[in-house]
Amino acid sequence: MNTEYVVRLDGDVGSERVGVKAARLAALAGEGIRVPDGFALTAAAYREFVRETRLDPLIAQWIRRFRAGCDLVVAAAEIRTAFRDAPMPPALAEEILTAYDELGGDGTDVAVRCSPVDGADGVQDEVFLHLRTGADVVAACRRCFASLFGTVAVGNREAMGLDHLDAVMPVTVQTMVRADLGASGTARGESTFVRIRATWGLGEPPAGDADLYSVHPGGRPLIVRHRGAKLTKVVYGDPRGTRTVPTTYDERMALVLTDDELQQIAAWSVAADQHFRRPMALEWAKDGVTGSLFVVEVRPWAVPTVTIAARGRSAAVPRRG
């Protein structure tokens, strides 16, 4: 479904509507790159929630109290509590539940994440994992709205002279990739090849622990294949968090990715660079149940440079490899 308040993450959906992270993923989905199926609550949905629950006066009141000397931690916490206690407007809740039903409905594992429009004010990027009911999804969306008034975010907006009542918080809801049973890592293009890091379980692999690969896109031979230690992995924990556990001997000895999987990730990395017309870093995940690969986040990255001296002059040039 695509409405004023809920949009599918596929194609050009606009970062001002769904936030920067969600918009980038939607753009890649439009290019045929596999991303987790899902939808976004738009900035308009946040505004509708605030309007229907009449939170504007309360927000303004606590901001005035803070400026008059009330502790920032107290003022921000009171605003967040009001958000969490306010009921989701029925029409908005219905759209969320309809969109969740299209993903599979109750029993379908999803992740609900904050999707800040620009991230400039330090909004905490909260995430709620493996939710399995429509009621939990609606509640998590409300908590994401509330995170717009974290202590750091409020303080930063004050410092920058931004109006708190103009701030918005889109939210993304996506089916969960069972990387806890599979693998995850990063990829980014460097010179003529793509560097890929991979480890078992969830999250970005720690430096020095992951498998490292350098891959020529397009079916050409691998340059480097290095097996990392992979001593631990992050898996989902009860009820909705994560925990770190030791890997098995077989996991430590095995390479995480096959050559075909490396070529797929490398091709996606090249496609992302071409689509956004700048170097991008991908976070990818492999579902341990289905074996499918997904891109779960994409963000710009600065190509490292080195400084060389020539005849008394110095110049910064892109580092090769």
Side-chain angles (χ1 to χ4, degrees), residues 15-298:
S15 60
E16 72 286 350
R17 294 181 68 201
V18 303
V20 175
K21 291 184 178 181
R24 289 178 186 146
L25 282 180
L28 293 187
E31 294 287 328
I33 294 174
R34 190 183 301 116
V35 306
D37 198 13
F39 62 91
L41 270 66
T42 65
Y46 168 85
R47 294 190 185 99
E48 177 67 6
F49 175 84
V50 171
R51 186 186 69 81
E52 283 287 326
T53 55
R54 297 178 173 83
L55 284 171
D56 272 352
L58 182 140
I59 295 169
Q61 179 186 62
W62 278 105
I63 294 300
R64 287 195 300 269
R65 290 181 180 179
F66 160 61
R67 291 170 180 169
C70 176
D71 187 270
L72 172 59
V73 174
V74 172
E78 290 290 342
I79 296 172
R80 292 197 304 276
T81 297
F83 268 80
R84 293 167 182 168
D85 290 345
M88 187 68 73
L92 186 53
E94 183 177 352
E95 290 204 18
I96 296 170
L97 293 173
T98 298
Y100 176 57
D101 284 343
E102 290 180 358
L103 295 180
D106 284 353
T108 302
D109 280 329
V110 297
V112 177
R113 290 182 171 86
C114 298
S115 185
V117 171
D118 56 27
D121 60 359
V123 175
Q124 184 175 352
D125 190 9
E126 288 200 72
V127 56
F128 302 91
L129 301 175
H130 45 91
L131 307 180
R132 296 176 60 85
T133 71
D136 283 343
V137 171
V138 172
C141 290
R142 191 168 58 240
R143 292 180 69 88
C144 284
F145 289 161
S147 70
L148 188 61
F149 289 90
T151 303
V152 173
V154 173
N156 285 354
R157 283 195 296 271
E158 281 289 297
M160 292 186 287
L162 301 176
D163 190 337
H164 298 278
L165 298 180
D166 287 340
V168 294
M169 176 56 77
V171 179
T172 62
V173 179
Q174 291 178 285
T175 54
M176 300 230 16
V177 178
R178 294 304 306 266
D180 62 314
L181 303 176
S184 60
T186 60
R188 65 189 190 190
E190 295 186 14
S191 186
T192 60
F193 58 90
V194 176
R195 285 195 188 277
I196 298 173
R197 298 171 67 197
T199 195
W200 302 115
L202 303 162
E204 188 169 343
D209 196 56
D211 288 353
L212 300 177
Y213 310 88
S214 297
V215 185
H216 274 306
R220 295 164 62 188
L222 304 180
I223 302 173
V224 175
R225 185 191 288 108
H226 173 75
R227 189 183 70 206
K230 305 187 295 294
L231 299 177
T232 61
K233 64 179 179 179
V234 178
V235 299
Y236 296 133
D238 293 329
R240 290 173 184 154
T242 61
R243 59 192 177 97
T244 301
V245 299
T247 52
T248 66
Y249 174 82
D250 287 344
E251 287 173 328
R252 293 193 294 272
M253 292 299 102
L255 289 168
V256 172
L257 296 170
T258 67
D259 286 3
D260 286 345
E261 290 168 340
L262 289 167
Q263 289 294 345
Q264 178 65 87
I265 294 170
W268 286 345
S269 177
V270 171
D273 290 354
Q274 292 174 344
H275 178 85
F276 294 106
R277 299 182 181 179
R278 62 177 299 176
M280 305 296 288
L282 304 183
E283 290 187 18
W284 58 266
K286 179 181 176 180
D287 192 300
V289 176
T290 66
S292 297
L293 291 166
F294 297 85
V295 172
V296 295
E297 186 173 340
V298 57

